[in-house]
Amino acid sequence: MCGSNVFSRVLWLFLCCAIASCSPLTADRQANITSMLEQQADRVMALGEWEERWQQNKIGFHQPEVHKMLKKNIDKVLNGRTGVRFFFPLCGKAVDMKWLADMGHSVVGVEISEKAIRQFFEENNMTYTEEPVPAIPGAKVYKNSEKNISLYQCNLYNFSNSIEGQFGAIWDRGSLVAVNPGDREKYAALIISLMANDCRYLLDTLLYNPDLYQGPPFFVPDEQVHSLFGSSCGIELLQSEDALTDKQRNWGLDKFLENVHLITPKSN
């Protein structure tokens, strides 16, 4: 077991150094990344498990303050634009949505938990309505009285650009790292289909040693971001921070990096 832990740390340090130096993807490095991805490849979280977490208030992933990386990079996302339509995949009750709406933007989110959506509006003292979504059987959409925040309660993969069109911005703070690893290609295809030509997609990913923690949140290396989005989008790493706290130490981790990427459609 001790030897395994030492080997895992060596893999982790190698990956971090390779990413930091932006070195070419060598065969050895690809093998190491593939090995690390395989640790979580078969991990599956059913929708019911996420709903149960909300019902039991096991929502350590929720942040009560606007995410600092969104604040720091908002100008790059807006790019001089006003009245931008933002999409929030797996939005939960993120306070970031109200922050953006208060700035004059509009927000559309998708979330499986009805409790999360209702808590968002109630905790922000917003009156809201709910109505069925004919195009998605069983789904509901909740809208505040100002009509600048619309939250859909449904399976994310049942949502499409035929429901709300395309978006000028996407904030993905805990979505790609939460979807089942086996669904990432399907997820990326959905996100790309929701991107308008001028869309600026801010993606938050996490780097850690998946041999030590099974997730979620899941390990998403930069190389996989490029494989998922690089064929149709430009990708820029905006920020990389040491995000290790006692919570991650309790998961058994001693390294935990948070990366933020700006993803934009390539011009035709």
Side-chain angles (χ1 to χ4, degrees), residues 12 15-16 19-20 67 69 73 171-173 177 202-207 220-223 225 236-243 256-262:
W12 164 257
L15 178 63
C16 288
I19 290 173
H67 197 286
M69 289 188 172
N73 294 290
W171 171 219
D172 185 338
R173 177 248 153 182
V177 298
L202 196 64
L203 170 65
D204 190 20
T205 58
L206 301 172
L207 293 173
V220 181
D222 292 2
E223 287 77 8
V225 174
E236 179 185 358
L237 178 62
L238 296 182
Q239 194 173 351
S240 183
E241 282 196 1
D242 180 357
F256 192 74
L257 294 180
E258 186 171 10
N259 283 358
V260 170
H261 314 261
L262 182 66

CSV table of all heavy atoms in Angstrom, one decimal, residues 12 15-16 19-20 67 69 73 171-173 177 202-207 220-223 225 236-243 256-262:
chain,number,residue,atom,x,y,z
A,12,TRP,N,1.2,12.2,-9.8
A,12,TRP,CA,0.6,13.5,-9.6
A,12,TRP,C,1.6,14.6,-9.9
A,12,TRP,O,1.3,15.6,-10.6
A,12,TRP,CB,0.0,13.6,-8.2
A,12,TRP,CG,-0.3,15.0,-7.8
A,12,TRP,CD1,0.5,15.8,-6.9
A,12,TRP,CD2,-1.4,15.8,-8.2
A,12,TRP,NE1,-0.1,17.0,-6.8
A,12,TRP,CE2,-1.2,17.1,-7.6
A,12,TRP,CE3,-2.4,15.6,-9.0
A,12,TRP,CZ2,-2.1,18.1,-7.8
A,12,TRP,CZ3,-3.3,16.6,-9.2
A,12,TRP,CH2,-3.2,17.9,-8.6
A,15,LEU,N,2.4,15.0,-13.5
A,15,LEU,CA,1.3,15.6,-14.3
A,15,LEU,C,1.3,17.1,-14.1
A,15,LEU,O,1.2,17.9,-15.0
A,15,LEU,CB,-0.1,15.0,-13.9
A,15,LEU,CG,-1.3,15.6,-14.6
A,15,LEU,CD1,-1.2,15.4,-16.1
A,15,LEU,CD2,-2.6,15.0,-14.0
A,16,CYS,N,1.4,17.5,-12.8
A,16,CYS,CA,1.4,18.9,-12.5
A,16,CYS,C,2.5,19.7,-13.2
A,16,CYS,O,2.4,20.8,-13.7
A,16,CYS,CB,1.4,19.2,-11.0
A,16,CYS,SG,-0.1,18.7,-10.2
A,19,ILE,N,1.8,20.0,-16.9
A,19,ILE,CA,0.8,21.0,-17.2
A,19,ILE,C,1.4,22.4,-17.0
A,19,ILE,O,1.2,23.3,-17.9
A,19,ILE,CB,-0.4,20.8,-16.3
A,19,ILE,CG1,-1.2,19.5,-16.7
A,19,ILE,CG2,-1.3,22.0,-16.4
A,19,ILE,CD1,-2.3,19.2,-15.8
A,20,ALA,N,2.1,22.6,-15.9
A,20,ALA,CA,2.7,23.9,-15.7
A,20,ALA,C,3.6,24.4,-16.7
A,20,ALA,O,3.7,25.5,-17.1
A,20,ALA,CB,3.3,23.9,-14.3
A,67,HIS,N,-18.5,33.2,-6.7
A,67,HIS,CA,-17.2,32.5,-6.9
A,67,HIS,C,-16.1,33.5,-7.3
A,67,HIS,O,-16.3,34.3,-8.2
A,67,HIS,CB,-17.3,31.4,-8.0
A,67,HIS,CG,-16.2,30.4,-8.0
A,67,HIS,ND1,-15.0,30.7,-8.4
A,67,HIS,CD2,-16.2,29.1,-7.6
A,67,HIS,CE1,-14.2,29.6,-8.3
A,67,HIS,NE2,-14.9,28.7,-7.8
A,69,MET,N,-13.4,33.2,-8.8
A,69,MET,CA,-12.8,33.1,-10.2
A,69,MET,C,-13.8,33.7,-11.2
A,69,MET,O,-13.3,34.2,-12.2
A,69,MET,CB,-12.4,31.7,-10.5
A,69,MET,CG,-11.2,31.2,-9.7
A,69,MET,SD,-10.7,29.6,-10.3
A,69,MET,CE,-9.1,29.4,-9.4
A,73,ASN,N,-12.6,37.0,-13.5
A,73,ASN,CA,-12.5,36.9,-14.9
A,73,ASN,C,-13.8,37.4,-15.6
A,73,ASN,O,-13.9,37.1,-16.9
A,73,ASN,CB,-12.3,35.4,-15.3
A,73,ASN,CG,-10.9,34.9,-14.8
A,73,ASN,OD1,-9.9,35.3,-15.4
A,73,ASN,ND2,-10.9,34.0,-13.8
A,171,TRP,N,-21.3,29.7,-17.6
A,171,TRP,CA,-20.5,29.6,-16.4
A,171,TRP,C,-20.6,28.2,-15.8
A,171,TRP,O,-21.7,27.8,-15.4
A,171,TRP,CB,-20.8,30.7,-15.4
A,171,TRP,CG,-20.2,30.6,-14.0
A,171,TRP,CD1,-20.8,30.8,-12.8
A,171,TRP,CD2,-18.8,30.3,-13.6
A,171,TRP,NE1,-20.0,30.6,-11.7
A,171,TRP,CE2,-18.7,30.3,-12.2
A,171,TRP,CE3,-17.7,29.9,-14.4
A,171,TRP,CZ2,-17.5,30.1,-11.5
A,171,TRP,CZ3,-16.5,29.7,-13.7
A,171,TRP,CH2,-16.4,29.8,-12.3
A,172,ASP,N,-19.5,27.4,-15.9
A,172,ASP,CA,-19.5,26.0,-15.6
A,172,ASP,C,-18.6,25.9,-14.4
A,172,ASP,O,-17.4,25.6,-14.5
A,172,ASP,CB,-19.1,25.2,-16.8
A,172,ASP,CG,-19.1,23.7,-16.5
A,172,ASP,OD1,-19.1,23.3,-15.4
A,172,ASP,OD2,-19.1,23.0,-17.5
A,173,ARG,N,-19.1,26.1,-13.2
A,173,ARG,CA,-18.3,26.0,-12.0
A,173,ARG,C,-18.2,24.6,-11.4
A,173,ARG,O,-17.2,24.2,-10.9
A,173,ARG,CB,-18.8,27.0,-10.9
A,173,ARG,CG,-18.0,27.0,-9.6
A,173,ARG,CD,-18.9,26.4,-8.5
A,173,ARG,NE,-18.1,25.8,-7.5
A,173,ARG,CZ,-18.6,25.2,-6.4
A,173,ARG,NH1,-19.9,25.2,-6.2
A,173,ARG,NH2,-17.8,24.7,-5.5
A,177,VAL,N,-17.2,18.8,-13.8
A,177,VAL,CA,-16.6,18.0,-12.7
A,177,VAL,C,-17.6,17.1,-12.0
A,177,VAL,O,-17.2,16.3,-11.2
A,177,VAL,CB,-15.8,18.8,-11.8
A,177,VAL,CG1,-14.7,19.6,-12.5
A,177,VAL,CG2,-16.7,19.8,-11.0
A,202,LEU,N,-16.8,30.0,-19.6
A,202,LEU,CA,-15.9,29.9,-18.5
A,202,LEU,C,-16.0,28.6,-17.8
A,202,LEU,O,-17.1,28.3,-17.2
A,202,LEU,CB,-16.1,31.1,-17.5
A,202,LEU,CG,-15.0,31.4,-16.5
A,202,LEU,CD1,-13.7,31.9,-17.3
A,202,LEU,CD2,-15.4,32.5,-15.5
A,203,LEU,N,-15.0,27.8,-17.9
A,203,LEU,CA,-15.0,26.4,-17.4
A,203,LEU,C,-14.0,26.2,-16.2
A,203,LEU,O,-12.9,26.5,-16.3
A,203,LEU,CB,-14.7,25.4,-18.5
A,203,LEU,CG,-14.4,24.0,-18.1
A,203,LEU,CD1,-15.7,23.3,-17.5
A,203,LEU,CD2,-13.9,23.1,-19.3
A,204,ASP,N,-14.6,25.7,-15.1
A,204,ASP,CA,-13.8,25.5,-13.9
A,204,ASP,C,-13.5,24.0,-13.8
A,204,ASP,O,-14.5,23.2,-13.8
A,204,ASP,CB,-14.6,26.0,-12.7
A,204,ASP,CG,-13.7,26.0,-11.4
A,204,ASP,OD1,-12.5,26.0,-11.5
A,204,ASP,OD2,-14.4,26.0,-10.3
A,205,THR,N,-12.3,23.6,-13.7
A,205,THR,CA,-11.9,22.2,-13.6
A,205,THR,C,-11.0,21.9,-12.4
A,205,THR,O,-10.4,22.9,-11.8
A,205,THR,CB,-11.2,21.6,-14.8
A,205,THR,OG1,-10.0,22.4,-15.1
A,205,THR,CG2,-12.2,21.7,-16.0
A,206,LEU,N,-10.9,20.7,-12.0
A,206,LEU,CA,-10.1,20.3,-10.8
A,206,LEU,C,-9.1,19.3,-11.1
A,206,LEU,O,-9.3,18.3,-11.9
A,206,LEU,CB,-11.1,19.8,-9.7
A,206,LEU,CG,-12.2,20.8,-9.3
A,206,LEU,CD1,-13.1,20.0,-8.3
A,206,LEU,CD2,-11.6,22.0,-8.6
A,207,LEU,N,-7.9,19.4,-10.6
A,207,LEU,CA,-6.8,18.5,-10.7
A,207,LEU,C,-6.4,18.0,-9.4
A,207,LEU,O,-6.1,18.7,-8.4
A,207,LEU,CB,-5.6,19.2,-11.4
A,207,LEU,CG,-5.7,19.6,-12.8
A,207,LEU,CD1,-4.5,20.4,-13.2
A,207,LEU,CD2,-5.9,18.4,-13.7
A,220,VAL,N,-10.5,16.3,-13.9
A,220,VAL,CA,-10.6,16.6,-15.3
A,220,VAL,C,-9.3,17.3,-15.7
A,220,VAL,O,-9.1,18.5,-15.5
A,220,VAL,CB,-11.8,17.5,-15.6
A,220,VAL,CG1,-11.9,17.8,-17.1
A,220,VAL,CG2,-13.1,16.9,-15.1
A,221,PRO,N,-8.4,16.6,-16.3
A,221,PRO,CA,-7.1,17.2,-16.8
A,221,PRO,C,-7.3,18.2,-17.9
A,221,PRO,O,-8.3,18.0,-18.7
A,221,PRO,CB,-6.2,16.0,-17.1
A,221,PRO,CG,-7.2,15.0,-17.6
A,221,PRO,CD,-8.4,15.2,-16.7
A,222,ASP,N,-6.4,19.1,-18.1
A,222,ASP,CA,-6.5,20.0,-19.2
A,222,ASP,C,-6.5,19.4,-20.5
A,222,ASP,O,-7.2,19.8,-21.5
A,222,ASP,CB,-5.3,21.0,-19.1
A,222,ASP,CG,-5.3,21.9,-17.9
A,222,ASP,OD1,-6.2,21.8,-17.1
A,222,ASP,OD2,-4.4,22.8,-17.8
A,223,GLU,N,-5.8,18.2,-20.6
A,223,GLU,CA,-5.7,17.5,-21.9
A,223,GLU,C,-7.1,17.0,-22.3
A,223,GLU,O,-7.4,17.0,-23.5
A,223,GLU,CB,-4.8,16.3,-21.8
A,223,GLU,CG,-3.3,16.7,-21.8
A,223,GLU,CD,-2.8,17.3,-20.4
A,223,GLU,OE1,-3.6,17.2,-19.5
A,223,GLU,OE2,-1.7,17.8,-20.4
A,225,VAL,N,-9.9,18.5,-21.5
A,225,VAL,CA,-10.7,19.7,-21.9
A,225,VAL,C,-10.4,20.0,-23.4
A,225,VAL,O,-11.3,20.3,-24.2
A,225,VAL,CB,-10.3,20.9,-21.1
A,225,VAL,CG1,-10.9,22.2,-21.6
A,225,VAL,CG2,-10.7,20.7,-19.6
A,236,GLU,N,-8.2,28.8,-23.7
A,236,GLU,CA,-7.2,29.5,-23.0
A,236,GLU,C,-7.3,29.3,-21.5
A,236,GLU,O,-8.3,29.4,-20.9
A,236,GLU,CB,-7.4,31.0,-23.2
A,236,GLU,CG,-6.3,31.9,-22.5
A,236,GLU,CD,-6.6,33.4,-22.7
A,236,GLU,OE1,-7.6,33.7,-23.4
A,236,GLU,OE2,-5.8,34.2,-22.1
A,237,LEU,N,-6.2,28.8,-20.9
A,237,LEU,CA,-6.1,28.7,-19.5
A,237,LEU,C,-5.9,30.0,-18.8
A,237,LEU,O,-4.9,30.6,-19.0
A,237,LEU,CB,-5.0,27.7,-19.1
A,237,LEU,CG,-4.8,27.5,-17.6
A,237,LEU,CD1,-6.0,26.8,-16.9
A,237,LEU,CD2,-3.5,26.6,-17.3
A,238,LEU,N,-6.9,30.5,-18.1
A,238,LEU,CA,-6.8,31.8,-17.5
A,238,LEU,C,-6.2,31.9,-16.2
A,238,LEU,O,-5.5,32.8,-15.8
A,238,LEU,CB,-8.3,32.4,-17.4
A,238,LEU,CG,-9.1,32.7,-18.7
A,238,LEU,CD1,-10.4,33.3,-18.3
A,238,LEU,CD2,-8.3,33.6,-19.6
A,239,GLN,N,-6.4,30.8,-15.4
A,239,GLN,CA,-6.0,30.8,-14.0
A,239,GLN,C,-5.8,29.4,-13.5
A,239,GLN,O,-6.5,28.5,-13.8
A,239,GLN,CB,-7.1,31.6,-13.2
A,239,GLN,CG,-6.7,32.0,-11.8
A,239,GLN,CD,-7.9,32.8,-11.2
A,239,GLN,OE1,-8.8,33.2,-11.9
A,239,GLN,NE2,-7.8,33.1,-9.9
A,240,SER,N,-4.8,29.2,-12.6
A,240,SER,CA,-4.6,28.0,-11.9
A,240,SER,C,-4.2,28.3,-10.5
A,240,SER,O,-3.3,29.0,-10.3
A,240,SER,CB,-3.5,27.2,-12.6
A,240,SER,OG,-3.3,25.9,-12.0
A,241,GLU,N,-5.0,27.7,-9.5
A,241,GLU,CA,-4.8,28.1,-8.1
A,241,GLU,C,-4.7,26.8,-7.3
A,241,GLU,O,-5.4,25.8,-7.5
A,241,GLU,CB,-5.9,29.0,-7.6
A,241,GLU,CG,-5.7,30.4,-8.0
A,241,GLU,CD,-6.6,31.3,-7.2
A,241,GLU,OE1,-7.3,30.8,-6.3
A,241,GLU,OE2,-6.6,32.5,-7.4
A,242,ASP,N,-3.9,26.9,-6.3
A,242,ASP,CA,-3.9,25.8,-5.2
A,242,ASP,C,-5.2,26.0,-4.4
A,242,ASP,O,-5.4,27.1,-3.8
A,242,ASP,CB,-2.7,26.0,-4.3
A,242,ASP,CG,-2.6,25.0,-3.2
A,242,ASP,OD1,-3.6,24.2,-3.1
A,242,ASP,OD2,-1.6,25.0,-2.5
A,243,ALA,N,-6.1,25.1,-4.5
A,243,ALA,CA,-7.4,25.2,-3.8
A,243,ALA,C,-7.5,24.2,-2.6
A,243,ALA,O,-8.7,23.9,-2.2
A,243,ALA,CB,-8.5,25.0,-4.8
A,256,PHE,N,-4.5,19.8,-4.6
A,256,PHE,CA,-5.8,20.0,-5.2
A,256,PHE,C,-5.7,21.4,-5.9
A,256,PHE,O,-5.6,22.4,-5.3
A,256,PHE,CB,-6.8,20.1,-4.1
A,256,PHE,CG,-8.3,20.1,-4.6
A,256,PHE,CD1,-8.8,18.9,-5.1
A,256,PHE,CD2,-9.0,21.2,-4.5
A,256,PHE,CE1,-10.2,18.9,-5.5
A,256,PHE,CE2,-10.4,21.2,-4.9
A,256,PHE,CZ,-10.9,20.1,-5.4
A,257,LEU,N,-5.7,21.3,-7.3
A,257,LEU,CA,-5.6,22.5,-8.1
A,257,LEU,C,-6.9,22.8,-8.8
A,257,LEU,O,-7.7,21.9,-9.2
A,257,LEU,CB,-4.5,22.4,-9.2
A,257,LEU,CG,-3.1,22.2,-8.7
A,257,LEU,CD1,-2.2,22.0,-9.9
A,257,LEU,CD2,-2.6,23.4,-7.9
A,258,GLU,N,-7.2,24.1,-8.9
A,258,GLU,CA,-8.4,24.6,-9.6
A,258,GLU,C,-8.0,25.4,-10.8
A,258,GLU,O,-7.3,26.4,-10.6
A,258,GLU,CB,-9.3,25.4,-8.6
A,258,GLU,CG,-10.6,25.8,-9.2
A,258,GLU,CD,-11.5,26.4,-8.1
A,258,GLU,OE1,-11.0,26.7,-7.0
A,258,GLU,OE2,-12.7,26.6,-8.4
A,259,ASN,N,-8.4,25.0,-11.9
A,259,ASN,CA,-8.1,25.7,-13.2
A,259,ASN,C,-9.3,26.3,-13.8
A,259,ASN,O,-10.4,25.7,-13.8
A,259,ASN,CB,-7.5,24.7,-14.2
A,259,ASN,CG,-6.0,24.3,-13.9
A,259,ASN,OD1,-5.5,24.9,-12.9
A,259,ASN,ND2,-5.5,23.5,-14.7
A,260,VAL,N,-9.2,27.5,-14.4
A,260,VAL,CA,-10.3,28.1,-15.1
A,260,VAL,C,-9.9,28.4,-16.5
A,260,VAL,O,-8.8,28.9,-16.8
A,260,VAL,CB,-10.7,29.4,-14.4
A,260,VAL,CG1,-11.6,30.2,-15.3
A,260,VAL,CG2,-11.4,29.1,-13.1
A,261,HIS,N,-10.7,27.9,-17.5
A,261,HIS,CA,-10.4,28.0,-18.9
A,261,HIS,C,-11.5,28.9,-19.5
A,261,HIS,O,-12.7,28.9,-19.2
A,261,HIS,CB,-10.5,26.6,-19.6
A,261,HIS,CG,-9.8,25.5,-18.8
A,261,HIS,ND1,-8.6,25.1,-19.2
A,261,HIS,CD2,-10.2,24.8,-17.8
A,261,HIS,CE1,-8.2,24.1,-18.4
A,261,HIS,NE2,-9.2,23.9,-17.5
A,262,LEU,N,-11.1,29.7,-20.5
A,262,LEU,CA,-12.0,30.4,-21.4
A,262,LEU,C,-12.1,29.7,-22.7
A,262,LEU,O,-11.1,29.6,-23.4
A,262,LEU,CB,-11.5,31.9,-21.6
A,262,LEU,CG,-12.5,32.8,-22.4
A,262,LEU,CD1,-13.8,33.0,-21.6
A,262,LEU,CD2,-11.8,34.1,-22.7
